[in-house]
Amino acid sequence: MAVCEVCSNDYEKAFEVRADGVLHIFDSLECAAQRIAPSCENCQCRILGHGLQANGQFFCCAHCARQKGHAQLVDHA
């Protein structure tokens, strides 16, 4: 079995994720999100979908991006 790097659970159904050339082992999607998903610069929620980026900052939505001065970002076309 493999041990989750977030919660240390030794789980037979653990899985591997390679991100930025680093191999990670998790027992759940929740643990994977806590370790590798970026956080919104405004509200600090984990970005699990397609977030927005501006000047190296990550945002969960256009509203949060606007709160930090990035008026050009929109959620949809």
Side-chain angles (χ1 to χ4, degrees):
M1 292 193 284
V3 176
C4 177
E5 67 182 62
V6 174
C7 69
S8 301
N9 185 25
D10 193 3
Y11 186 50
E12 66 185 28
K13 292 185 169 95
F15 58 93
E16 298 176 352
V17 174
R18 185 172 300 278
D20 295 327
V22 177
L23 182 65
H24 300 274
I25 298 174
F26 304 109
D27 70 338
S28 66
L29 291 176
E30 291 85 355
C31 284
Q34 287 301 312
R35 181 59 49 111
I36 62 177
S39 295
C40 177
E41 293 286 337
N42 186 59
C43 71
Q44 285 70 53
C45 76
R46 291 289 179 180
I47 302 168
L48 301 179
H50 296 285
L52 302 169
Q53 285 183 261
N55 300 329
Q57 295 179 310
F58 292 92
F59 302 97
C60 64
C61 64
H63 170 78
C64 281
R66 286 192 300 274
Q67 294 297 307
K68 294 293 187 176
H70 301 285
Q72 75 280 14
L73 296 179
V74 295
D75 284 322
H76 53 79

CSV table of all heavy atoms in Angstrom, one decimal, residues 23-72:
chain,number,residue,atom,x,y,z
A,23,LEU,N,6.5,13.7,-8.2
A,23,LEU,CA,5.6,12.7,-8.0
A,23,LEU,C,5.0,12.8,-6.6
A,23,LEU,O,5.7,12.9,-5.6
A,23,LEU,CB,6.2,11.3,-8.2
A,23,LEU,CG,5.3,10.1,-8.1
A,23,LEU,CD1,4.2,10.1,-9.2
A,23,LEU,CD2,6.1,8.8,-8.1
A,24,HIS,N,3.6,12.9,-6.6
A,24,HIS,CA,2.9,12.9,-5.3
A,24,HIS,C,2.0,11.7,-5.1
A,24,HIS,O,1.6,11.1,-6.1
A,24,HIS,CB,2.0,14.2,-5.3
A,24,HIS,CG,2.7,15.5,-5.5
A,24,HIS,ND1,3.3,16.2,-4.4
A,24,HIS,CD2,3.0,16.2,-6.6
A,24,HIS,CE1,3.8,17.3,-4.9
A,24,HIS,NE2,3.6,17.3,-6.2
A,25,ILE,N,1.8,11.3,-3.9
A,25,ILE,CA,0.9,10.2,-3.6
A,25,ILE,C,-0.2,10.7,-2.7
A,25,ILE,O,0.1,11.3,-1.6
A,25,ILE,CB,1.7,9.0,-3.0
A,25,ILE,CG1,2.7,8.5,-4.0
A,25,ILE,CG2,0.7,7.9,-2.6
A,25,ILE,CD1,3.7,7.5,-3.4
A,26,PHE,N,-1.5,10.4,-3.1
A,26,PHE,CA,-2.6,10.8,-2.3
A,26,PHE,C,-3.6,9.7,-2.1
A,26,PHE,O,-3.7,8.8,-2.9
A,26,PHE,CB,-3.3,12.0,-3.0
A,26,PHE,CG,-2.5,13.2,-3.3
A,26,PHE,CD1,-2.1,13.5,-4.5
A,26,PHE,CD2,-2.0,14.0,-2.2
A,26,PHE,CE1,-1.3,14.6,-4.8
A,26,PHE,CE2,-1.2,15.0,-2.5
A,26,PHE,CZ,-0.8,15.3,-3.8
A,27,ASP,N,-4.4,9.8,-1.1
A,27,ASP,CA,-5.5,8.8,-0.9
A,27,ASP,C,-6.8,9.3,-1.3
A,27,ASP,O,-7.8,8.5,-1.3
A,27,ASP,CB,-5.5,8.3,0.6
A,27,ASP,CG,-6.0,9.4,1.5
A,27,ASP,OD1,-5.9,10.6,1.2
A,27,ASP,OD2,-6.4,9.0,2.6
A,28,SER,N,-6.9,10.6,-1.6
A,28,SER,CA,-8.2,11.2,-2.0
A,28,SER,C,-8.0,12.4,-2.8
A,28,SER,O,-6.9,13.0,-2.8
A,28,SER,CB,-9.0,11.5,-0.7
A,28,SER,OG,-8.4,12.6,0.0
A,29,LEU,N,-9.0,12.8,-3.5
A,29,LEU,CA,-9.0,14.1,-4.3
A,29,LEU,C,-8.9,15.3,-3.3
A,29,LEU,O,-8.2,16.3,-3.7
A,29,LEU,CB,-10.2,14.2,-5.2
A,29,LEU,CG,-10.2,13.2,-6.3
A,29,LEU,CD1,-11.5,13.4,-7.1
A,29,LEU,CD2,-9.0,13.4,-7.2
A,30,GLU,N,-9.5,15.2,-2.1
A,30,GLU,CA,-9.4,16.3,-1.2
A,30,GLU,C,-7.9,16.5,-0.8
A,30,GLU,O,-7.5,17.7,-0.7
A,30,GLU,CB,-10.2,16.0,0.1
A,30,GLU,CG,-11.7,16.0,-0.2
A,30,GLU,CD,-12.3,14.7,-0.7
A,30,GLU,OE1,-11.5,13.7,-1.0
A,30,GLU,OE2,-13.5,14.6,-0.9
A,31,CYS,N,-7.2,15.5,-0.5
A,31,CYS,CA,-5.8,15.6,-0.1
A,31,CYS,C,-5.0,16.2,-1.3
A,31,CYS,O,-4.1,17.0,-1.1
A,31,CYS,CB,-5.2,14.3,0.4
A,31,CYS,SG,-5.7,13.9,2.1
A,32,ALA,N,-5.3,15.7,-2.5
A,32,ALA,CA,-4.6,16.2,-3.7
A,32,ALA,C,-4.8,17.7,-3.8
A,32,ALA,O,-3.9,18.5,-4.1
A,32,ALA,CB,-5.0,15.4,-4.9
A,33,ALA,N,-6.1,18.1,-3.7
A,33,ALA,CA,-6.4,19.5,-3.8
A,33,ALA,C,-5.7,20.4,-2.8
A,33,ALA,O,-5.2,21.5,-3.1
A,33,ALA,CB,-7.9,19.7,-3.7
A,34,GLN,N,-5.6,19.9,-1.6
A,34,GLN,CA,-4.9,20.7,-0.5
A,34,GLN,C,-3.5,20.8,-0.8
A,34,GLN,O,-2.9,21.9,-0.4
A,34,GLN,CB,-5.1,20.0,0.9
A,34,GLN,CG,-6.5,20.1,1.4
A,34,GLN,CD,-6.9,21.6,1.6
A,34,GLN,OE1,-6.2,22.4,2.2
A,34,GLN,NE2,-8.1,21.9,1.1
A,35,ARG,N,-2.9,19.9,-1.4
A,35,ARG,CA,-1.4,20.0,-1.7
A,35,ARG,C,-1.1,20.7,-3.0
A,35,ARG,O,-0.1,21.5,-3.0
A,35,ARG,CB,-0.8,18.5,-1.7
A,35,ARG,CG,0.7,18.5,-1.9
A,35,ARG,CD,1.5,19.2,-0.8
A,35,ARG,NE,1.1,18.8,0.5
A,35,ARG,CZ,1.8,18.1,1.4
A,35,ARG,NH1,3.0,17.7,1.1
A,35,ARG,NH2,1.3,17.9,2.5
A,36,ILE,N,-1.8,20.5,-4.1
A,36,ILE,CA,-1.3,21.0,-5.3
A,36,ILE,C,-2.2,22.0,-6.0
A,36,ILE,O,-1.7,22.7,-6.9
A,36,ILE,CB,-0.9,19.8,-6.3
A,36,ILE,CG1,-2.2,19.0,-6.6
A,36,ILE,CG2,0.2,19.0,-5.7
A,36,ILE,CD1,-1.9,17.9,-7.7
A,37,ALA,N,-3.4,22.1,-5.6
A,37,ALA,CA,-4.3,23.1,-6.2
A,37,ALA,C,-3.9,24.5,-5.8
A,37,ALA,O,-3.7,24.7,-4.6
A,37,ALA,CB,-5.8,22.9,-5.9
A,38,PRO,N,-3.9,25.5,-6.7
A,38,PRO,CA,-3.6,26.9,-6.3
A,38,PRO,C,-4.7,27.5,-5.5
A,38,PRO,O,-5.9,27.0,-5.6
A,38,PRO,CB,-3.4,27.6,-7.6
A,38,PRO,CG,-4.2,26.9,-8.6
A,38,PRO,CD,-4.1,25.4,-8.1
A,39,SER,N,-4.4,28.5,-4.7
A,39,SER,CA,-5.4,29.2,-3.9
A,39,SER,C,-5.7,30.6,-4.6
A,39,SER,O,-4.8,31.2,-5.1
A,39,SER,CB,-4.9,29.4,-2.5
A,39,SER,OG,-4.8,28.2,-1.8
A,40,CYS,N,-6.9,31.0,-4.5
A,40,CYS,CA,-7.3,32.3,-5.0
A,40,CYS,C,-6.6,33.4,-4.2
A,40,CYS,O,-6.6,33.4,-3.0
A,40,CYS,CB,-8.8,32.5,-4.9
A,40,CYS,SG,-9.4,34.1,-5.5
A,41,GLU,N,-6.0,34.4,-4.9
A,41,GLU,CA,-5.3,35.5,-4.2
A,41,GLU,C,-6.3,36.4,-3.4
A,41,GLU,O,-5.8,37.1,-2.5
A,41,GLU,CB,-4.6,36.4,-5.2
A,41,GLU,CG,-3.5,35.7,-5.9
A,41,GLU,CD,-2.2,35.5,-5.1
A,41,GLU,OE1,-2.1,36.3,-4.1
A,41,GLU,OE2,-1.4,34.6,-5.4
A,42,ASN,N,-7.6,36.3,-3.7
A,42,ASN,CA,-8.5,37.2,-3.1
A,42,ASN,C,-9.2,36.5,-1.9
A,42,ASN,O,-9.2,37.0,-0.8
A,42,ASN,CB,-9.5,37.8,-4.0
A,42,ASN,CG,-10.5,38.8,-3.4
A,42,ASN,OD1,-10.0,39.8,-2.9
A,42,ASN,ND2,-11.7,38.5,-3.4
A,43,CYS,N,-9.9,35.4,-2.2
A,43,CYS,CA,-10.7,34.7,-1.2
A,43,CYS,C,-10.0,33.5,-0.5
A,43,CYS,O,-10.6,32.9,0.4
A,43,CYS,CB,-12.1,34.3,-1.7
A,43,CYS,SG,-12.0,33.0,-2.9
A,44,GLN,N,-8.9,33.1,-1.1
A,44,GLN,CA,-8.1,31.9,-0.6
A,44,GLN,C,-8.7,30.6,-0.7
A,44,GLN,O,-8.3,29.6,-0.2
A,44,GLN,CB,-7.7,32.1,0.9
A,44,GLN,CG,-6.6,33.1,1.1
A,44,GLN,CD,-7.0,34.5,0.9
A,44,GLN,OE1,-8.0,35.0,1.5
A,44,GLN,NE2,-6.3,35.3,0.1
A,45,CYS,N,-9.8,30.5,-1.5
A,45,CYS,CA,-10.4,29.1,-1.8
A,45,CYS,C,-9.5,28.4,-2.7
A,45,CYS,O,-8.7,29.0,-3.5
A,45,CYS,CB,-11.8,29.2,-2.3
A,45,CYS,SG,-11.9,29.7,-4.1
A,46,ARG,N,-9.5,27.1,-2.7
A,46,ARG,CA,-8.7,26.2,-3.6
A,46,ARG,C,-9.4,26.3,-5.0
A,46,ARG,O,-10.6,26.2,-5.1
A,46,ARG,CB,-8.7,24.8,-3.1
A,46,ARG,CG,-7.8,24.6,-1.9
A,46,ARG,CD,-6.4,24.8,-2.2
A,46,ARG,NE,-5.6,24.7,-1.0
A,46,ARG,CZ,-4.3,24.8,-0.9
A,46,ARG,NH1,-3.6,25.0,-2.0
A,46,ARG,NH2,-3.7,24.6,0.2
A,47,ILE,N,-8.6,26.4,-6.0
A,47,ILE,CA,-9.1,26.5,-7.4
A,47,ILE,C,-9.1,25.1,-8.0
A,47,ILE,O,-8.0,24.6,-8.3
A,47,ILE,CB,-8.3,27.5,-8.2
A,47,ILE,CG1,-8.3,28.9,-7.5
A,47,ILE,CG2,-8.8,27.6,-9.6
A,47,ILE,CD1,-7.3,29.9,-8.1
A,48,LEU,N,-10.2,24.5,-8.1
A,48,LEU,CA,-10.3,23.1,-8.6
A,48,LEU,C,-10.6,23.1,-10.1
A,48,LEU,O,-10.5,22.0,-10.7
A,48,LEU,CB,-11.3,22.3,-7.8
A,48,LEU,CG,-11.0,22.3,-6.3
A,48,LEU,CD1,-12.1,21.5,-5.6
A,48,LEU,CD2,-9.7,21.7,-6.0
A,49,GLY,N,-11.2,24.1,-10.6
A,49,GLY,CA,-11.5,24.1,-12.1
A,49,GLY,C,-10.5,25.0,-12.8
A,49,GLY,O,-9.4,25.2,-12.4
A,50,HIS,N,-11.0,25.6,-13.9
A,50,HIS,CA,-10.2,26.5,-14.7
A,50,HIS,C,-10.3,27.9,-14.0
A,50,HIS,O,-11.3,28.6,-14.2
A,50,HIS,CB,-10.7,26.6,-16.1
A,50,HIS,CG,-10.6,25.3,-16.8
A,50,HIS,ND1,-9.4,24.9,-17.3
A,50,HIS,CD2,-11.5,24.4,-17.2
A,50,HIS,CE1,-9.6,23.7,-17.9
A,50,HIS,NE2,-10.8,23.4,-17.8
A,51,GLY,N,-9.3,28.3,-13.3
A,51,GLY,CA,-9.2,29.6,-12.7
A,51,GLY,C,-8.7,30.6,-13.7
A,51,GLY,O,-8.6,30.3,-14.9
A,52,LEU,N,-8.5,31.8,-13.2
A,52,LEU,CA,-7.9,32.9,-14.0
A,52,LEU,C,-6.6,33.3,-13.5
A,52,LEU,O,-6.3,33.1,-12.3
A,52,LEU,CB,-8.9,34.1,-13.9
A,52,LEU,CG,-10.3,33.8,-14.3
A,52,LEU,CD1,-11.2,35.0,-14.0
A,52,LEU,CD2,-10.4,33.6,-15.8
A,53,GLN,N,-5.7,33.8,-14.3
A,53,GLN,CA,-4.4,34.2,-13.9
A,53,GLN,C,-4.1,35.6,-14.5
A,53,GLN,O,-4.5,35.9,-15.6
A,53,GLN,CB,-3.3,33.3,-14.5
A,53,GLN,CG,-3.2,31.9,-13.8
A,53,GLN,CD,-2.0,31.2,-14.4
A,53,GLN,OE1,-2.3,30.3,-15.2
A,53,GLN,NE2,-0.8,31.4,-14.0
A,54,ALA,N,-3.4,36.4,-13.7
A,54,ALA,CA,-2.9,37.7,-14.1
A,54,ALA,C,-1.7,38.0,-13.3
A,54,ALA,O,-1.6,37.9,-12.1
A,54,ALA,CB,-4.0,38.8,-13.8
A,55,ASN,N,-0.6,38.3,-14.0
A,55,ASN,CA,0.6,38.7,-13.4
A,55,ASN,C,1.1,37.7,-12.4
A,55,ASN,O,1.6,38.1,-11.3
A,55,ASN,CB,0.5,40.1,-12.8
A,55,ASN,CG,0.2,41.2,-13.8
A,55,ASN,OD1,0.6,41.1,-14.9
A,55,ASN,ND2,-0.5,42.2,-13.3
A,56,GLY,N,1.0,36.4,-12.7
A,56,GLY,CA,1.4,35.4,-11.8
A,56,GLY,C,0.5,35.1,-10.6
A,56,GLY,O,0.9,34.3,-9.8
A,57,GLN,N,-0.6,35.8,-10.6
A,57,GLN,CA,-1.6,35.5,-9.5
A,57,GLN,C,-2.7,34.7,-10.0
A,57,GLN,O,-3.1,34.8,-11.2
A,57,GLN,CB,-2.1,36.8,-9.0
A,57,GLN,CG,-1.1,37.7,-8.3
A,57,GLN,CD,-1.7,39.0,-7.9
A,57,GLN,OE1,-2.4,39.7,-8.6
A,57,GLN,NE2,-1.5,39.4,-6.6
A,58,PHE,N,-3.3,33.8,-9.1
A,58,PHE,CA,-4.4,32.9,-9.5
A,58,PHE,C,-5.7,33.4,-8.8
A,58,PHE,O,-5.6,33.9,-7.6
A,58,PHE,CB,-4.1,31.5,-9.0
A,58,PHE,CG,-3.0,30.8,-9.7
A,58,PHE,CD1,-1.7,30.9,-9.3
A,58,PHE,CD2,-3.3,30.1,-10.9
A,58,PHE,CE1,-0.7,30.2,-9.9
A,58,PHE,CE2,-2.3,29.5,-11.6
A,58,PHE,CZ,-1.0,29.5,-11.1
A,59,PHE,N,-6.8,33.3,-9.5
A,59,PHE,CA,-8.1,33.8,-9.0
A,59,PHE,C,-9.1,32.7,-9.4
A,59,PHE,O,-9.0,32.1,-10.4
A,59,PHE,CB,-8.5,35.1,-9.6
A,59,PHE,CG,-7.5,36.2,-9.3
A,59,PHE,CD1,-6.6,36.5,-10.3
A,59,PHE,CD2,-7.5,36.8,-8.1
A,59,PHE,CE1,-5.6,37.5,-10.0
A,59,PHE,CE2,-6.6,37.8,-7.8
A,59,PHE,CZ,-5.6,38.2,-8.8
A,60,CYS,N,-10.1,32.5,-8.5
A,60,CYS,CA,-11.1,31.5,-8.7
A,60,CYS,C,-12.2,32.0,-9.7
A,60,CYS,O,-12.8,31.2,-10.4
A,60,CYS,CB,-11.8,31.1,-7.4
A,60,CYS,SG,-12.7,32.4,-6.6
A,61,CYS,N,-12.3,33.3,-9.8
A,61,CYS,CA,-13.3,33.9,-10.7
A,61,CYS,C,-13.0,35.4,-11.0
A,61,CYS,O,-12.1,36.0,-10.4
A,61,CYS,CB,-14.7,33.9,-10.0
A,61,CYS,SG,-14.8,34.9,-8.5
A,62,ALA,N,-13.7,35.9,-12.0
A,62,ALA,CA,-13.4,37.3,-12.4
A,62,ALA,C,-13.7,38.3,-11.3
A,62,ALA,O,-13.0,39.3,-11.2
A,62,ALA,CB,-14.2,37.6,-13.7
A,63,HIS,N,-14.7,38.0,-10.5
A,63,HIS,CA,-15.0,38.9,-9.4
A,63,HIS,C,-13.8,39.1,-8.5
A,63,HIS,O,-13.5,40.2,-8.1
A,63,HIS,CB,-16.2,38.4,-8.6
A,63,HIS,CG,-16.5,39.1,-7.3
A,63,HIS,ND1,-17.0,40.4,-7.2
A,63,HIS,CD2,-16.1,38.8,-6.0
A,63,HIS,CE1,-17.1,40.8,-6.0
A,63,HIS,NE2,-16.5,39.8,-5.2
A,64,CYS,N,-13.2,38.0,-8.1
A,64,CYS,CA,-12.0,38.0,-7.2
A,64,CYS,C,-10.9,38.8,-7.9
A,64,CYS,O,-10.2,39.5,-7.3
A,64,CYS,CB,-11.6,36.6,-6.8
A,64,CYS,SG,-12.7,36.0,-5.4
A,65,ALA,N,-10.7,38.5,-9.2
A,65,ALA,CA,-9.6,39.2,-9.9
A,65,ALA,C,-9.9,40.7,-9.9
A,65,ALA,O,-8.9,41.5,-9.7
A,65,ALA,CB,-9.6,38.7,-11.4
A,66,ARG,N,-11.1,41.1,-10.1
A,66,ARG,CA,-11.4,42.6,-10.1
A,66,ARG,C,-11.2,43.2,-8.7
A,66,ARG,O,-10.7,44.3,-8.6
A,66,ARG,CB,-12.9,42.8,-10.5
A,66,ARG,CG,-13.1,42.6,-12.0
A,66,ARG,CD,-14.5,43.1,-12.5
A,66,ARG,NE,-15.6,42.4,-11.8
A,66,ARG,CZ,-16.1,41.3,-12.2
A,66,ARG,NH1,-15.7,40.7,-13.3
A,66,ARG,NH2,-17.1,40.8,-11.5
A,67,GLN,N,-11.4,42.4,-7.7
A,67,GLN,CA,-11.2,42.9,-6.3
A,67,GLN,C,-9.7,43.2,-6.1
A,67,GLN,O,-9.4,44.0,-5.3
A,67,GLN,CB,-11.6,41.9,-5.3
A,67,GLN,CG,-13.1,41.6,-5.3
A,67,GLN,CD,-13.9,42.9,-4.9
A,67,GLN,OE1,-13.6,43.5,-3.8
A,67,GLN,NE2,-14.8,43.3,-5.7
A,68,LYS,N,-8.8,42.6,-6.9
A,68,LYS,CA,-7.4,42.8,-6.8
A,68,LYS,C,-6.8,43.6,-7.9
A,68,LYS,O,-5.6,43.7,-8.2
A,68,LYS,CB,-6.7,41.4,-6.7
A,68,LYS,CG,-7.0,40.6,-5.5
A,68,LYS,CD,-6.4,41.3,-4.3
A,68,LYS,CE,-6.5,40.4,-3.0
A,68,LYS,NZ,-6.0,41.0,-1.9
A,69,GLY,N,-7.8,44.3,-8.7
A,69,GLY,CA,-7.3,45.3,-9.7
A,69,GLY,C,-7.2,44.8,-11.1
A,69,GLY,O,-6.5,45.4,-11.9
A,70,HIS,N,-7.7,43.6,-11.4
A,70,HIS,CA,-7.5,43.0,-12.7
A,70,HIS,C,-8.9,43.1,-13.5
A,70,HIS,O,-9.5,42.1,-13.7
A,70,HIS,CB,-7.0,41.6,-12.7
A,70,HIS,CG,-5.7,41.5,-12.0
A,70,HIS,ND1,-4.5,41.9,-12.6
A,70,HIS,CD2,-5.3,41.1,-10.7
A,70,HIS,CE1,-3.5,41.8,-11.8
A,70,HIS,NE2,-4.0,41.3,-10.6
A,71,ALA,N,-9.3,44.3,-13.8
A,71,ALA,CA,-10.6,44.5,-14.5
A,71,ALA,C,-10.7,43.8,-15.8
A,71,ALA,O,-11.9,43.6,-16.3
A,71,ALA,CB,-10.9,46.0,-14.6
A,72,GLN,N,-9.7,43.5,-16.5
A,72,GLN,CA,-9.7,43.0,-17.8
A,72,GLN,C,-10.1,41.5,-17.9
A,72,GLN,O,-10.5,41.0,-18.9
A,72,GLN,CB,-8.4,43.1,-18.5
A,72,GLN,CG,-7.3,42.1,-18.1
A,72,GLN,CD,-6.5,42.5,-16.8
A,72,GLN,OE1,-7.0,43.4,-16.0
A,72,GLN,NE2,-5.4,41.9,-16.5
